[in-house]
Amino acid sequence: MEILGTTLRVCVDDLESAVPFYERLAGGRAQRFERGGVQVAAVGCFLLMSGPEAELEVLRKVVATIAVEDVDEAHRVLSELGARVVAGPVRTPAGRNLLAMHPDGTVYEYVDRRG
């Protein structure tokens, strides 16, 4: 399994005021979408999220998003290494994802661009 990149997940109180800072920091425009009542802005290596506290509480448990070529392969490798897949794989607007808890207890999201 090759890791293609990592996205840092940042929960913010006010997405509208946070986006301009991160656009200037990352040198690019935010791509925005909504998922499960949470407003999301992807800017460079940052994934900004804002929404109901109950939703953000769950999202804060995921340390980072890791891009891979194939989520199915990631599922296999993670399982072989002793990680526990806690959700997915599922389709998303951008591809597929899964959540995995590593043996140390840290939770990561793995994503691919396959539809």
Side-chain angles (χ1 to χ4, degrees):
M1 170 182 73
E2 181 181 353
I3 294 175
L4 304 174
T6 306
T7 302
L8 305 170
R9 300 164 64 93
V10 183
C11 294
V12 298
D13 292 331
D14 182 359
L15 191 66
E16 295 309 313
S17 65
V19 165
F21 171 83
Y22 284 94
E23 285 180 331
R24 291 198 59 200
L25 180 65
R29 303 268 307 147
Q31 296 178 345
R32 297 174 183 241
F33 58 95
E34 181 180 337
R35 185 160 181 208
V38 175
Q39 297 295 318
V40 180
V43 187
C45 67
F46 300 99
L47 189 64
L48 309 176
M49 300 173 286
S50 184
E53 187 55 40
E55 295 293 327
L56 294 179
E57 184 178 336
V58 172
L59 295 172
R60 282 188 182 100
K61 294 178 182 178
V62 180
V63 174
T65 299
I66 300 171
V68 295
E69 183 69 30
D70 183 359
V71 163
D72 294 327
E73 179 187 11
H75 187 287
R76 181 185 55 75
V77 170
L78 289 163
S79 297
E80 288 173 1
L81 294 174
R84 182 169 60 90
V85 175
V86 296
V90 297
R91 294 197 185 291
T92 71
R96 299 176 303 157
N97 76 344
L98 65 78
L99 295 178
M101 181 181 292
H102 290 190
D104 63 8
T106 307
V107 178
Y108 293 90
E109 176 187 34
Y110 289 81
V111 299
D112 67 23
R113 297 281 183 191
R114 296 178 179 207

